[in-house]
Amino acid sequence: NAMLQNLDEKREKSDQFDSFHFKEAKSTRKVMATLVACCEIGIHTILIGRTGLGKTAAAMAFSRMNKSSLKSSSPHIISFNGETQLDELYGYFTIEKGNFSIHQGDLSQAMSEGQVFIADEMNLADQQIIQSLNVAIEPSRGENIILPVTGTSLTINEGFFFIGCQNDLTMNGRRPIPESIKRKILCIEYPEPTKEDLITLCSSIANQFNLDSQIAVCTATLVEAIRRDLTIKSWSLREVRIIYKRIEFTKELNLLDS
């Protein structure tokens, strides 16, 4: 709980983003507290788990609430895939009216401005791209580095924090993390919510949509049943939020018709 005091929840309460209900469940509180601790001491992280658990939502919520970031803004995030290029991460040159201009990539900008960078679906990228992340992960804050592609010098600013998000290797197309990366980063297994956590998380989301708490109990039971049935794709809080939005919309339509 002491670690969670380093998060500014006022930044999270915005109509621009879906709220991340981390405080209601022990499992998600632990994840957020671990991210705070790692950010404070400068150890970069990777969140690993099955699809739909909320890894990316947790990383994005942390980036918005993190008091250590030098600047509050939308998070720097790239969804990695087999087509991801170095210039998306580290920047590129353009020629404008005969002059060379340098444009920063999302990762180099996060490093120079002391912000959070999120590598979503990190292990879908080619090995060359993943290996290049050593440039960001290995140096300490305050060090000068030479960026790939542009060859320019950059100082890694205080507040820079790297969070990778990836599904486990049971998912198609996922590649193992190179040992050179694993030695320098903390791999966090993103937890499956317990039945109790699931009820409290569903209740919190239901409250956001002004729905009865009993709906949350029924939803948690349904999610648990789907999870046990291996023939059906598991539901996550993403699907729960979609259903609740539809219920809210239906209720509003019924009010207009009455």
Side-chain angles (χ1 to χ4, degrees):
N1 287 340
M3 284 293 178
L4 296 180
Q5 292 176 7
N6 286 354
L7 299 177
D8 184 357
E9 293 182 61
K10 290 179 181 177
R11 296 184 186 178
E12 174 66 359
K13 294 175 181 176
S14 165
D15 293 336
Q16 189 179 355
F17 308 106
D18 283 332
S19 295
F20 182 69
H21 301 264
F22 72 95
K23 292 186 80 173
E24 283 73 19
K26 183 179 179 181
S27 56
T28 45
R29 284 200 303 271
K30 184 177 179 181
V31 168
M32 296 300 275
T34 303
L35 290 176
V36 170
C38 288
C39 184
E40 287 294 312
I41 61 179
I43 296 178
H44 302 296
T45 63
I46 302 176
L47 302 177
I48 304 171
R50 69 169 178 83
T51 186
L53 283 180
K55 303 179 294 295
T56 306
M60 292 182 68
F62 174 81
S63 72
R64 293 192 294 269
M65 294 187 287
N66 178 31
K67 292 181 181 178
S68 297
S69 290
L70 298 184
K71 193 171 163 187
S72 175
S73 66
S74 296
H76 292 282
I77 179 169
I78 290 180
S79 292
F80 282 40
N81 56 62
E83 304 300 318
T84 301
Q85 301 295 314
L86 287 172
D87 57 6
E88 296 175 57
L89 300 171
Y90 301 108
Y92 55 92
F93 289 110
T94 58
I95 301 177
E96 300 170 5
K97 297 180 180 179
N99 297 316
F100 281 101
S101 296
I102 297 175
H103 303 268
Q104 284 196 335
D106 274 294
L107 179 52
S108 61
Q109 187 174 354
M111 287 191 287
S112 66
E113 295 181 353
Q115 297 182 348
V116 174
F117 175 81
I118 301 168
D120 196 25
E121 303 286 4
M122 177 175 152
N123 58 344
L124 281 179
D126 287 339
Q127 286 296 302
Q128 177 198 12
I129 299 298
I130 297 176
Q131 290 284 7
S132 81
L133 297 175
N134 278 303
V135 172
I137 292 168
E138 188 170 7
S140 301
R141 293 164 180 170
E143 284 190 36
N144 289 317
I145 63 169
I146 301 299
L147 291 174
V149 184
T150 64
T152 54
S153 175
L154 178 147
T155 300
I156 298 181
N157 220 323
E158 291 295 328
F160 170 63
F161 185 49
F162 178 98
I163 306 175
C165 299
Q166 64 180 53
N167 294 330
D168 55 42
L169 295 180
T170 60
M171 300 292 292
N172 271 340
R174 269 62 184 184
R175 301 173 175 88
I177 305 165
E179 287 299 320
S180 61
I181 299 286
K182 286 176 74 173
R183 287 194 298 267
K184 302 162 190 167
I185 206 162
L186 179 65
C187 295
I188 302 171
E189 291 291 333
Y190 201 90
E192 294 268 356
T194 63
K195 179 67 177 292
E196 182 182 351
D197 280 352
L198 200 52
I199 291 173
T200 53
L201 288 167
C202 288
S203 295
S204 180
I205 298 171
N207 184 59
Q208 183 184 356
F209 293 99
N210 299 312
L211 300 178
D212 188 87
S213 60
Q214 190 57 39
I215 288 179
V217 176
C218 296
T219 306
T221 302
L222 177 61
V223 171
E224 283 278 294
I226 292 174
R227 186 187 296 171
R228 289 192 298 269
D229 189 337
L230 299 180
T231 64
I232 304 174
K233 180 183 174 183
S234 294
W235 276 20
S236 67
L237 295 180
R238 185 186 306 149
E239 283 75 30
V240 171
R241 187 175 280 109
I242 290 170
I243 290 241
Y244 288 175
K245 281 182 178 178
R246 289 178 180 173
I247 294 173
E248 182 189 44
F249 180 68
T250 302
K251 287 173 67 177
E252 289 174 353
L253 284 179
N254 289 338
L255 285 174
L256 290 173
D257 290 341
S258 60

